[in-house]
Every structure is written in structure tokens, then in C-alpha cells.
Amino acid sequence: MREITYAQAICEALDEEMARDENVILLGEDVGIIGGNFKTSVGLYKKYGEWRVKDTPISESGFTGLALGAAITGLRPVVEIMFSDFMAVCFDQIINQIAKIRYMSGGQVKVPLTIRTPIGGGRSSAAQHSQSLQALVAHIPGLKVVLPSTAEEAKGLLKTAIREDNPVVFMEHKMEYNKKYLVPEGEYTIPFGKARIAREGSDITIVATSSMVMKSLDAAKELEKDGIETEIIDIRTIVPLDKETIVKSVIKTGKLLIVDEGHIRCGIGAEIAMSVLDDVFYDLDLPIQRMGTENVPLPFSPALEFPLIPDAKKIYQKVKQMM
Amino acid sequence: MNVQGYEKRQLLEFYSTMYKIRKFEEEVFELYKQGLMPGLAHTYVGEEAIATGACNAIEKGKDYVASTHRGHGHLIASGADLSKMMAEILGKKTGYCKGKGGSMHVVSLENNILGANGIVGGGIPLATGAAYTSKLKNTGQVTLSFFGDAATNQGTFHESLNMAAAWKLPVVYIIENNQFGISVSIKRVTAIKDLAERAKAYGMPGVVVDGNNVIEVYEKVKEAVELARKGEGPTLIECKTYRFRGHHVGDPGIEYRLQEEIEEWKAKCPIKRLKEALINNSIATEDDIKNIERDVDKQIEEAVEFAKQSPYPEPSEAFEDLFV
Ligand SMILES: Cc1ncc(C[n+]2csc(CCOP(=O)(O)OP(=O)(O)O)c2C)c(N)n1
């Protein structure tokens, strides 16, 4: 193990996959010469040349659709959409084209295409650069949706995404990019649909996504001081969803809290809760609870923004209420 | 129509393809009227010369074609199997997409047809991406990207042409300007007269073609394909044409068009024009033409029969083909 940033881990995954398979290409705004807006492709333009690491015009629909055409004709594109908010600009390509073409063609084509995009608030970026739109994409059949937590997770899951013959929306948390994590040396991949127990405990189950895993771990440290043992499940992928790991844990603890940074309404929390409810109903001590961003756009001022987003303290308080 | 310098074989091939498209579409209309076709279909009647000329200017099975909601003609001109097409249109298990796509979404990978599209302008980036693969892998393949006049007002049109020109991608963009987007005349929503003028804005050649003249379409597309193959980038070709029928099989197409205008264009029927040229230049006799037509009629009849006799998919098949 060595310490590298989350952005470096992403970069390593891209580099390794590009070295492994010459069909892997990178497309997006500023991914080339400057190595990405969040420094997730540093050095790759120099190493692989301008045709495999393509700086695109500001044309999200155009280059995302172009990536689809490339994917069905033999390349394995990784598209970067600079902020997940900008997916809205190319939703036709994501929802109607990329997610549909294999199905509509009766399975004639495969779509080895990864869309990488950052989510999350906390940077005073206001309402058009802070959203966590995982629920929107997870709603669409035909897309796999990945929400890595740590740098180690991001690297292993991204490598799997790139090797997938299906479209994957890979959502990175922008507040993580500069954080340092221990990451294994050498190559490894992490399979989809297999959740990770980030912490074992017997009193309550928290299912968390993305950076909410780390926030839950922070809360768990405090809860431990109060004698509460929290089990934390890093769900890793929303599609496919590892129900089994959640159900097993909730049967053990009798309590379930779901924490995701997307807006609460019609969100990941509701989806996970209903997905497991039938299997855990008689084991629950109290109704399933969920946490997410309040149902208002994220405002600019930190004084307004932070109170709306779940954090370790809020998770701590919520768990205390559930005890 | 100048047919000088063309072999009889090729001219008859053009005729046969155009007639096949016409006949196929008329059959689709019949099936719709009889209530045998689920949903709707957009027929290509009147526009046959475009697909025929263009798809004969590329190497079939090597080069790529990206189609639209009005896509039957592109498939037929690319040599697609009529039975599998008809079965798809009737929602049968034996169709190209096993009944999951229908008229608007026929993909035929075996013919390098990368997809028809229910979203106006939605397939232009996809065509551009196929050309990106060809460029990166240096395969010498060219992609034809078809779309209507209305699609040129979508952002994807501008974004795609801009990228293709900037990167000199081997793609030929073909506007099938039948002058209407459903009921709206392009003149009412666009100031320029020739849509091909837009090419200038992206830095590529723009060409206006008589879309009812199969020879002219063939020649202009061939030139553009050669440029693309040489690495000289994309061309925008505007084919002026007209659809004889309504927007789709359920639209009479008369509320927003004058009868005289429809008649005027029917007089310029691309099939009739080629037939006249063939006979006037003593390249073919009425009998030659009749033989071709009889042969095609039979093929269409067989396709319809195949489609009718084919089973519907099982409901459980709806859950197949989502992921690899
Ligand atoms: C994005 C989108 N908007 C609207 C429609 C509805 N629609 C279907 S075909 C069509 C007209 C398209 O006209 P054009 O591109 O000129 O092709 P044509 O039908 O004339 O061949 C419209 C508006 C659609 N399918 N997709």
C-alpha cells in the first residue's frame, strides 16, 4: 500500500487500462493537455497521443454521442463530463441513445462505454455545479451506475467499468479528488454488484454511497464512544444492487439507515429501502430511515449550503434518534 | 438525366433498388391500413433516389450507414433482408431487432447499418463516432449519416459537423430535404434557402443536389466519399426532394401542403425519371423494366408472407438483450 490521492488513483486506472487495451480512448473537455479539470488524466495525452486522449469542444451531446458511435464500432471510450450537472445537456444521448441501442437492436450491438462525471456539493459551486444526479441515471434501464467511495475503490471499480461491455455511468465525488488514501500497489479490479462491509457492527446498518461512506465512518467513531456499534455498507454500485448484503446485515442489526447525497425525493434512499423491505420487514425494530440533500437547489453561500447536505454530525444525530 | 457512361447493369440495379423501396413502402402502408402493423411508420415514397444513389456510392458491408426514423430506404439500398425488415415492422420475433425496435429503429449490424433513430438528429453524433473509429484505426471506412431538413436545426447537427470538420473525420452528411418537419415547412423556421450553406460555417464543402435524380446523388456522394477516404474530411450534401405521402402512414399530408405542389413533385418522381432515361437512351426496354418489377414484386410478397407467418416474441423476451 502507498498513499496517493483519489485523482491519482483514477489516473492510474485510466493509464493501466489504456496500456492494456489500445481501443480504450478518453474524450472530454480539458482531458488532454492539462490532464483534466480535476487532474484525473495527467500525463495521458503525452503518453497516448491526441487521438486517444481527445480534448473536445464544449459539445456534450456531440462528443457523448460520438463516443457511442465509437463504442459500437470497436473502440472502448471513456467520456468525461466535467460536472454531473452537465449530463442534463446530453441526456438524450445518455438516456435515449446509449442506454437504448443494445436493447432496441435486439442485442446486435454491445456498448463498451464509460461516462465518468463528478458529483457532490461542498465547494460553494452553487446549484449548477453541485448536484448528485445518481437517481436520475439509475432510473433508466440499460445503464450501470457506480458510486465509488475511497481512492482504492475508485481505481478498482473504474477498471471494471472500462472492461464492461455495457454502458456505465461512473460518478466520482469531487470533494475526494485531492484527498489521500492508501491504495494497493499493482493491478486489481473490483466487481460490480458486490457491496463492501466498510465497518462491522451489530447495532445498526448504514448503507452509504460515495463520500457518505467516509462520513458514516466518521460518525461511527463517535457512536462507538456511546457504545453503539455501527455496520457500514459501501454499496459501490446502484445498478446492479447487492440486496443480499444489505438484507443479511439488517436481519442482524434490526435497523437500517440509508445515506446518499442526492436529493431525498425519489432518491436512492427510497429505492434501496423498498428493494429490501419485503425481506427485512419482520426483522426491523423501527421503520427504515433515509438521509440525503434537502429538496432545494444547492445554494452558493457555505452558510446555506452545508446545512442541507448530510455530514458526520447529522448522521451521528440520526443514529442516536434511531436507538 | 444524364446516364452516359454508366453500365446497363448498374442502371438497372438503381432502378431495381428504387422500385423495391417504393413497393416495400406501399406494402407497409397496406399493412397499416389492414391493421396488421403496430404503431406507425414513416414512408420514403418519393425520396428513393437518395438512399439508392448514396448507398451505392460506398462499399457495402465495409462502410457504415446511420439512418433515421424514415429509414426503410437506407436499409433496402444497403442490401438488408426484406423479410427480416418486414418482420421487424410487424413486431415479430424474426425481425432484425426481434421485435424490440420496430419501423423507426431498425439496426442491421450485418449490413453495417448502425441504427435508425426515433430522436430527430439523435443519430448524427453516432455516425460521427463511427468515423472517429475509422480515423483512429485507419481502416479506410467511410460513414454516411442521413437525416432530414428539420434535423439540421438540432444542436447535435452543429456539434457533430463542427467536430468532424475540426478532426477531418471520414463521414458524409446527407440532408434529405423533403422540405417539411411533420407539418412545418423549413422555410417558416429557417432563413437560409440552401441548408448546404451551413457547411461553410464548419469549414467543409457543402453541395446542393437534385435529390430526385439518382445519378446526380450517386455522383456527388461518390466524390464526397472519395474525399473522406483520402483523409480530407467530411462533406455536407443537401438533397432536395419531397415526400409524396404524409409524414407517417397515419398522416394524409394535405393540411399543410398545396395539392399543386404535391402534383408538381409527383411529376418529378425519381423512379419515373430513371425509367424514361433508360428507355429514351435505349438502354432498357419496357420488357426489361417489367421483368425487374415482377422480380421485385415477388420478393416483397415473400417478405410480407414471411412476416405474417412469423411468431410474435414471448413476453419473457422483453427482459432479454438489455445488458451483455
Ligand atoms: C427530438 C425529437 N423532436 C421531435 C420529434 C417528433 N418528430 C418526429 S419526425 C419529425 C420531423 C422530422 O423532420 P425531418 O428531420 O426533416 O425528417 P423527415 O421526417 O422530413 O424525413 C418530428 C418533429 C422527434 N422524434 N424527436
Side-chain angles (χ1 to χ4, degrees), chain B residues 100-131:
Chain B
K100 292 197 173 89
S103 163
M104 269 200 290
H105 309 109
V106 189
V107 172
S108 168
L109 211 57
E110 63 189 30
N111 297 104
N112 276 10
I113 307 264
L114 297 176
N117 220 299
I119 305 295
V120 172
I124 310 176
L126 180 142
T128 311

PDB file of all heavy atoms in Angstrom, chain B residues 100-131:
ATOM      1  N   LYS B 100     -38.076  -5.609 -30.975  1.00  0.00           N
ATOM      2  CA  LYS B 100     -37.862  -4.598 -29.926  1.00  0.00           C
ATOM      3  C   LYS B 100     -37.674  -3.192 -30.499  1.00  0.00           C
ATOM      4  O   LYS B 100     -37.711  -2.211 -29.761  1.00  0.00           O
ATOM      5  CB  LYS B 100     -36.633  -4.964 -29.098  1.00  0.00           C
ATOM      6  CG  LYS B 100     -36.823  -6.217 -28.252  1.00  0.00           C
ATOM      7  CD  LYS B 100     -35.776  -6.305 -27.170  1.00  0.00           C
ATOM      8  CE  LYS B 100     -36.034  -7.442 -26.218  1.00  0.00           C
ATOM      9  NZ  LYS B 100     -35.398  -8.704 -26.659  1.00  0.00           N
ATOM     10  N   GLY B 101     -37.443  -3.089 -31.787  1.00  0.00           N
ATOM     11  CA  GLY B 101     -37.166  -1.771 -32.372  1.00  0.00           C
ATOM     12  C   GLY B 101     -38.321  -1.238 -33.191  1.00  0.00           C
ATOM     13  O   GLY B 101     -38.756  -0.116 -33.012  1.00  0.00           O
ATOM     14  N   GLY B 102     -38.823  -2.055 -34.099  1.00  0.00           N
ATOM     15  CA  GLY B 102     -39.903  -1.601 -34.969  1.00  0.00           C
ATOM     16  C   GLY B 102     -39.392  -0.719 -36.094  1.00  0.00           C
ATOM     17  O   GLY B 102     -38.187  -0.530 -36.262  1.00  0.00           O
ATOM     18  N   SER B 103     -40.337  -0.156 -36.823  1.00  0.00           N
ATOM     19  CA  SER B 103     -40.018   0.603 -38.029  1.00  0.00           C
ATOM     20  C   SER B 103     -38.947   1.675 -37.829  1.00  0.00           C
ATOM     21  O   SER B 103     -38.062   1.852 -38.643  1.00  0.00           O
ATOM     22  CB  SER B 103     -41.288   1.266 -38.562  1.00  0.00           C
ATOM     23  OG  SER B 103     -40.958   2.299 -39.458  1.00  0.00           O
ATOM     24  N   MET B 104     -39.035   2.388 -36.718  1.00  0.00           N
ATOM     25  CA  MET B 104     -38.149   3.543 -36.533  1.00  0.00           C
ATOM     26  C   MET B 104     -36.737   3.200 -36.087  1.00  0.00           C
ATOM     27  O   MET B 104     -35.883   4.073 -36.034  1.00  0.00           O
ATOM     28  CB  MET B 104     -38.757   4.472 -35.476  1.00  0.00           C
ATOM     29  CG  MET B 104     -39.648   5.519 -36.053  1.00  0.00           C
ATOM     30  SD  MET B 104     -39.863   6.875 -34.899  1.00  0.00           S
ATOM     31  CE  MET B 104     -40.859   6.155 -33.634  1.00  0.00           C
ATOM     32  N   HIS B 105     -36.522   1.963 -35.670  1.00  0.00           N
ATOM     33  CA  HIS B 105     -35.231   1.687 -35.017  1.00  0.00           C
ATOM     34  C   HIS B 105     -34.518   0.469 -35.578  1.00  0.00           C
ATOM     35  O   HIS B 105     -33.847  -0.237 -34.839  1.00  0.00           O
ATOM     36  CB  HIS B 105     -35.441   1.481 -33.516  1.00  0.00           C
ATOM     37  CG  HIS B 105     -36.219   2.583 -32.882  1.00  0.00           C
ATOM     38  ND1 HIS B 105     -37.511   2.418 -32.442  1.00  0.00           N
ATOM     39  CD2 HIS B 105     -35.903   3.867 -32.637  1.00  0.00           C
ATOM     40  CE1 HIS B 105     -37.948   3.558 -31.942  1.00  0.00           C
ATOM     41  NE2 HIS B 105     -36.999   4.456 -32.045  1.00  0.00           N
ATOM     42  N   VAL B 106     -34.664   0.235 -36.865  1.00  0.00           N
ATOM     43  CA  VAL B 106     -34.055  -0.987 -37.383  1.00  0.00           C
ATOM     44  C   VAL B 106     -32.531  -0.841 -37.466  1.00  0.00           C
ATOM     45  O   VAL B 106     -32.012   0.017 -38.154  1.00  0.00           O
ATOM     46  CB  VAL B 106     -34.605  -1.359 -38.771  1.00  0.00           C
ATOM     47  CG1 VAL B 106     -34.098  -2.738 -39.159  1.00  0.00           C
ATOM     48  CG2 VAL B 106     -36.116  -1.341 -38.765  1.00  0.00           C
ATOM     49  N   VAL B 107     -31.853  -1.678 -36.713  1.00  0.00           N
ATOM     50  CA  VAL B 107     -30.400  -1.771 -36.794  1.00  0.00           C
ATOM     51  C   VAL B 107     -30.118  -3.062 -37.536  1.00  0.00           C
ATOM     52  O   VAL B 107     -30.771  -4.077 -37.296  1.00  0.00           O
ATOM     53  CB  VAL B 107     -29.783  -1.857 -35.380  1.00  0.00           C
ATOM     54  CG1 VAL B 107     -28.292  -2.147 -35.452  1.00  0.00           C
ATOM     55  CG2 VAL B 107     -30.033  -0.570 -34.604  1.00  0.00           C
ATOM     56  N   SER B 108     -29.155  -3.035 -38.453  1.00  0.00           N
ATOM     57  CA  SER B 108     -28.723  -4.276 -39.078  1.00  0.00           C
ATOM     58  C   SER B 108     -27.209  -4.262 -39.127  1.00  0.00           C
ATOM     59  O   SER B 108     -26.606  -3.744 -40.069  1.00  0.00           O
ATOM     60  CB  SER B 108     -29.303  -4.412 -40.479  1.00  0.00           C
ATOM     61  OG  SER B 108     -28.628  -5.473 -41.134  1.00  0.00           O
ATOM     62  N   LEU B 109     -26.629  -4.800 -38.092  1.00  0.00           N
ATOM     63  CA  LEU B 109     -25.176  -4.771 -37.998  1.00  0.00           C
ATOM     64  C   LEU B 109     -24.548  -5.546 -39.140  1.00  0.00           C
ATOM     65  O   LEU B 109     -23.489  -5.186 -39.634  1.00  0.00           O
ATOM     66  CB  LEU B 109     -24.737  -5.323 -36.641  1.00  0.00           C
ATOM     67  CG  LEU B 109     -23.453  -4.708 -36.099  1.00  0.00           C
ATOM     68  CD1 LEU B 109     -23.565  -3.202 -35.980  1.00  0.00           C
ATOM     69  CD2 LEU B 109     -23.075  -5.327 -34.770  1.00  0.00           C
ATOM     70  N   GLU B 110     -25.238  -6.624 -39.599  1.00  0.00           N
ATOM     71  CA  GLU B 110     -24.665  -7.420 -40.693  1.00  0.00           C
ATOM     72  C   GLU B 110     -24.559  -6.609 -41.980  1.00  0.00           C
ATOM     73  O   GLU B 110     -23.790  -6.940 -42.862  1.00  0.00           O
ATOM     74  CB  GLU B 110     -25.459  -8.722 -40.892  1.00  0.00           C
ATOM     75  CG  GLU B 110     -26.895  -8.487 -41.315  1.00  0.00           C
ATOM     76  CD  GLU B 110     -27.759  -9.754 -41.298  1.00  0.00           C
ATOM     77  OE1 GLU B 110     -27.494 -10.644 -40.482  1.00  0.00           O
ATOM     78  OE2 GLU B 110     -28.698  -9.821 -42.119  1.00  0.00           O
ATOM     79  N   ASN B 111     -25.336  -5.545 -42.086  1.00  0.00           N
ATOM     80  CA  ASN B 111     -25.225  -4.654 -43.242  1.00  0.00           C
ATOM     81  C   ASN B 111     -24.510  -3.345 -42.894  1.00  0.00           C
ATOM     82  O   ASN B 111     -24.569  -2.379 -43.653  1.00  0.00           O
ATOM     83  CB  ASN B 111     -26.612  -4.329 -43.803  1.00  0.00           C
ATOM     84  CG  ASN B 111     -27.317  -5.560 -44.328  1.00  0.00           C
ATOM     85  OD1 ASN B 111     -28.222  -6.087 -43.680  1.00  0.00           O
ATOM     86  ND2 ASN B 111     -26.884  -6.052 -45.468  1.00  0.00           N
ATOM     87  N   ASN B 112     -23.883  -3.307 -41.707  1.00  0.00           N
ATOM     88  CA  ASN B 112     -23.218  -2.090 -41.229  1.00  0.00           C
ATOM     89  C   ASN B 112     -24.167  -0.902 -41.095  1.00  0.00           C
ATOM     90  O   ASN B 112     -23.748   0.249 -41.228  1.00  0.00           O
ATOM     91  CB  ASN B 112     -22.023  -1.716 -42.121  1.00  0.00           C
ATOM     92  CG  ASN B 112     -20.779  -2.486 -41.724  1.00  0.00           C
ATOM     93  OD1 ASN B 112     -20.856  -3.423 -40.915  1.00  0.00           O
ATOM     94  ND2 ASN B 112     -19.651  -2.112 -42.267  1.00  0.00           N
ATOM     95  N   ILE B 113     -25.446  -1.198 -40.863  1.00  0.00           N
ATOM     96  CA  ILE B 113     -26.405  -0.133 -40.568  1.00  0.00           C
ATOM     97  C   ILE B 113     -26.382   0.037 -39.053  1.00  0.00           C
ATOM     98  O   ILE B 113     -26.849  -0.833 -38.310  1.00  0.00           O
ATOM     99  CB  ILE B 113     -27.833  -0.518 -40.988  1.00  0.00           C
ATOM    100  CG1 ILE B 113     -27.863  -0.952 -42.446  1.00  0.00           C
ATOM    101  CG2 ILE B 113     -28.806   0.609 -40.682  1.00  0.00           C
ATOM    102  CD1 ILE B 113     -28.237   0.074 -43.418  1.00  0.00           C
ATOM    103  N   LEU B 114     -25.849   1.151 -38.603  1.00  0.00           N
ATOM    104  CA  LEU B 114     -25.597   1.315 -37.170  1.00  0.00           C
ATOM    105  C   LEU B 114     -26.822   1.738 -36.393  1.00  0.00           C
ATOM    106  O   LEU B 114     -26.793   1.835 -35.181  1.00  0.00           O
ATOM    107  CB  LEU B 114     -24.490   2.345 -36.963  1.00  0.00           C
ATOM    108  CG  LEU B 114     -23.151   1.922 -37.560  1.00  0.00           C
ATOM    109  CD1 LEU B 114     -22.138   3.039 -37.390  1.00  0.00           C
ATOM    110  CD2 LEU B 114     -22.645   0.642 -36.931  1.00  0.00           C
ATOM    111  N   GLY B 115     -27.877   2.037 -37.100  1.00  0.00           N
ATOM    112  CA  GLY B 115     -29.055   2.389 -36.329  1.00  0.00           C
ATOM    113  C   GLY B 115     -29.896   3.404 -37.033  1.00  0.00           C
ATOM    114  O   GLY B 115     -29.401   4.306 -37.703  1.00  0.00           O
ATOM    115  N   ALA B 116     -31.196   3.207 -36.898  1.00  0.00           N
ATOM    116  CA  ALA B 116     -32.147   4.225 -37.268  1.00  0.00           C
ATOM    117  C   ALA B 116     -32.468   4.929 -35.961  1.00  0.00           C
ATOM    118  O   ALA B 116     -32.076   4.452 -34.908  1.00  0.00           O
ATOM    119  CB  ALA B 116     -33.370   3.580 -37.877  1.00  0.00           C
ATOM    120  N   ASN B 117     -33.154   6.046 -36.001  1.00  0.00           N
ATOM    121  CA  ASN B 117     -33.292   6.796 -34.767  1.00  0.00           C
ATOM    122  C   ASN B 117     -34.645   7.452 -34.609  1.00  0.00           C
ATOM    123  O   ASN B 117     -35.112   8.141 -35.504  1.00  0.00           O
ATOM    124  CB  ASN B 117     -32.198   7.862 -34.689  1.00  0.00           C
ATOM    125  CG  ASN B 117     -31.657   7.975 -33.285  1.00  0.00           C
ATOM    126  OD1 ASN B 117     -32.403   8.302 -32.363  1.00  0.00           O
ATOM    127  ND2 ASN B 117     -30.398   7.682 -33.113  1.00  0.00           N
ATOM    128  N   GLY B 118     -35.246   7.264 -33.458  1.00  0.00           N
ATOM    129  CA  GLY B 118     -36.537   7.880 -33.176  1.00  0.00           C
ATOM    130  C   GLY B 118     -36.410   9.305 -32.693  1.00  0.00           C
ATOM    131  O   GLY B 118     -37.407  10.010 -32.535  1.00  0.00           O
ATOM    132  N   ILE B 119     -35.187   9.729 -32.451  1.00  0.00           N
ATOM    133  CA  ILE B 119     -34.947  11.089 -31.990  1.00  0.00           C
ATOM    134  C   ILE B 119     -34.378  11.890 -33.165  1.00  0.00           C
ATOM    135  O   ILE B 119     -33.314  11.559 -33.691  1.00  0.00           O
ATOM    136  CB  ILE B 119     -33.930  11.111 -30.821  1.00  0.00           C
ATOM    137  CG1 ILE B 119     -34.395  10.200 -29.673  1.00  0.00           C
ATOM    138  CG2 ILE B 119     -33.691  12.541 -30.336  1.00  0.00           C
ATOM    139  CD1 ILE B 119     -35.667  10.620 -28.977  1.00  0.00           C
ATOM    140  N   VAL B 120     -35.096  12.932 -33.550  1.00  0.00           N
ATOM    141  CA  VAL B 120     -34.641  13.719 -34.698  1.00  0.00           C
ATOM    142  C   VAL B 120     -33.259  14.316 -34.394  1.00  0.00           C
ATOM    143  O   VAL B 120     -33.084  15.011 -33.397  1.00  0.00           O
ATOM    144  CB  VAL B 120     -35.657  14.831 -35.038  1.00  0.00           C
ATOM    145  CG1 VAL B 120     -35.096  15.767 -36.103  1.00  0.00           C
ATOM    146  CG2 VAL B 120     -36.964  14.221 -35.515  1.00  0.00           C
ATOM    147  N   GLY B 121     -32.301  13.991 -35.207  1.00  0.00           N
ATOM    148  CA  GLY B 121     -30.931  14.477 -35.016  1.00  0.00           C
ATOM    149  C   GLY B 121     -30.114  13.631 -34.051  1.00  0.00           C
ATOM    150  O   GLY B 121     -28.913  13.837 -33.897  1.00  0.00           O
ATOM    151  N   GLY B 122     -30.754  12.667 -33.427  1.00  0.00           N
ATOM    152  CA  GLY B 122     -30.084  11.876 -32.381  1.00  0.00           C
ATOM    153  C   GLY B 122     -28.958  10.998 -32.878  1.00  0.00           C
ATOM    154  O   GLY B 122     -28.059  10.643 -32.121  1.00  0.00           O
ATOM    155  N   GLY B 123     -29.010  10.638 -34.157  1.00  0.00           N
ATOM    156  CA  GLY B 123     -28.016   9.706 -34.678  1.00  0.00           C
ATOM    157  C   GLY B 123     -26.825  10.362 -35.351  1.00  0.00           C
ATOM    158  O   GLY B 123     -25.892   9.673 -35.770  1.00  0.00           O
ATOM    159  N   ILE B 124     -26.823  11.677 -35.446  1.00  0.00           N
ATOM    160  CA  ILE B 124     -25.716  12.345 -36.154  1.00  0.00           C
ATOM    161  C   ILE B 124     -24.400  12.203 -35.372  1.00  0.00           C
ATOM    162  O   ILE B 124     -23.368  11.890 -35.958  1.00  0.00           O
ATOM    163  CB  ILE B 124     -26.064  13.821 -36.484  1.00  0.00           C
ATOM    164  CG1 ILE B 124     -27.456  13.893 -37.159  1.00  0.00           C
ATOM    165  CG2 ILE B 124     -25.012  14.419 -37.398  1.00  0.00           C
ATOM    166  CD1 ILE B 124     -27.942  15.308 -37.439  1.00  0.00           C
ATOM    167  N   PRO B 125     -24.420  12.367 -34.051  1.00  0.00           N
ATOM    168  CA  PRO B 125     -23.171  12.138 -33.305  1.00  0.00           C
ATOM    169  C   PRO B 125     -22.690  10.685 -33.415  1.00  0.00           C
ATOM    170  O   PRO B 125     -21.486  10.438 -33.513  1.00  0.00           O
ATOM    171  CB  PRO B 125     -23.552  12.460 -31.853  1.00  0.00           C
ATOM    172  CG  PRO B 125     -24.736  13.353 -31.942  1.00  0.00           C
ATOM    173  CD  PRO B 125     -25.487  12.889 -33.161  1.00  0.00           C
ATOM    174  N   LEU B 126     -23.611   9.756 -33.418  1.00  0.00           N
ATOM    175  CA  LEU B 126     -23.238   8.344 -33.527  1.00  0.00           C
ATOM    176  C   LEU B 126     -22.493   8.071 -34.836  1.00  0.00           C
ATOM    177  O   LEU B 126     -21.451   7.413 -34.853  1.00  0.00           O
ATOM    178  CB  LEU B 126     -24.516   7.496 -33.425  1.00  0.00           C
ATOM    179  CG  LEU B 126     -24.382   5.996 -33.504  1.00  0.00           C
ATOM    180  CD1 LEU B 126     -25.358   5.344 -32.531  1.00  0.00           C
ATOM    181  CD2 LEU B 126     -24.651   5.475 -34.899  1.00  0.00           C
ATOM    182  N   ALA B 127     -23.007   8.626 -35.917  1.00  0.00           N
ATOM    183  CA  ALA B 127     -22.335   8.464 -37.212  1.00  0.00           C
ATOM    184  C   ALA B 127     -20.931   9.064 -37.152  1.00  0.00           C
ATOM    185  O   ALA B 127     -19.963   8.498 -37.663  1.00  0.00           O
ATOM    186  CB  ALA B 127     -23.160   9.161 -38.302  1.00  0.00           C
ATOM    187  N   THR B 128     -20.838  10.200 -36.496  1.00  0.00           N
ATOM    188  CA  THR B 128     -19.556  10.891 -36.377  1.00  0.00           C
ATOM    189  C   THR B 128     -18.568  10.038 -35.571  1.00  0.00           C
ATOM    190  O   THR B 128     -17.376  10.004 -35.859  1.00  0.00           O
ATOM    191  CB  THR B 128     -19.791  12.271 -35.716  1.00  0.00           C
ATOM    192  OG1 THR B 128     -20.873  12.912 -36.406  1.00  0.00           O
ATOM    193  CG2 THR B 128     -18.564  13.144 -35.783  1.00  0.00           C
ATOM    194  N   GLY B 129     -19.103   9.338 -34.576  1.00  0.00           N
ATOM    195  CA  GLY B 129     -18.251   8.468 -33.750  1.00  0.00           C
ATOM    196  C   GLY B 129     -17.750   7.254 -34.506  1.00  0.00           C
ATOM    197  O   GLY B 129     -16.619   6.804 -34.293  1.00  0.00           O
ATOM    198  N   ALA B 130     -18.587   6.712 -35.392  1.00  0.00           N
ATOM    199  CA  ALA B 130     -18.125   5.588 -36.214  1.00  0.00           C
ATOM    200  C   ALA B 130     -16.951   6.060 -37.072  1.00  0.00           C
ATOM    201  O   ALA B 130     -15.954   5.353 -37.242  1.00  0.00           O
ATOM    202  CB  ALA B 130     -19.264   5.079 -37.092  1.00  0.00           C
ATOM    203  N   ALA B 131     -17.064   7.292 -37.568  1.00  0.00           N
ATOM    204  CA  ALA B 131     -15.978   7.850 -38.380  1.00  0.00           C
ATOM    205  C   ALA B 131     -14.728   8.083 -37.531  1.00  0.00           C
ATOM    206  O   ALA B 131     -13.601   7.967 -38.020  1.00  0.00           O
ATOM    207  CB  ALA B 131     -16.439   9.154 -39.036  1.00  0.00           C
TER     208      ALA B 131
END
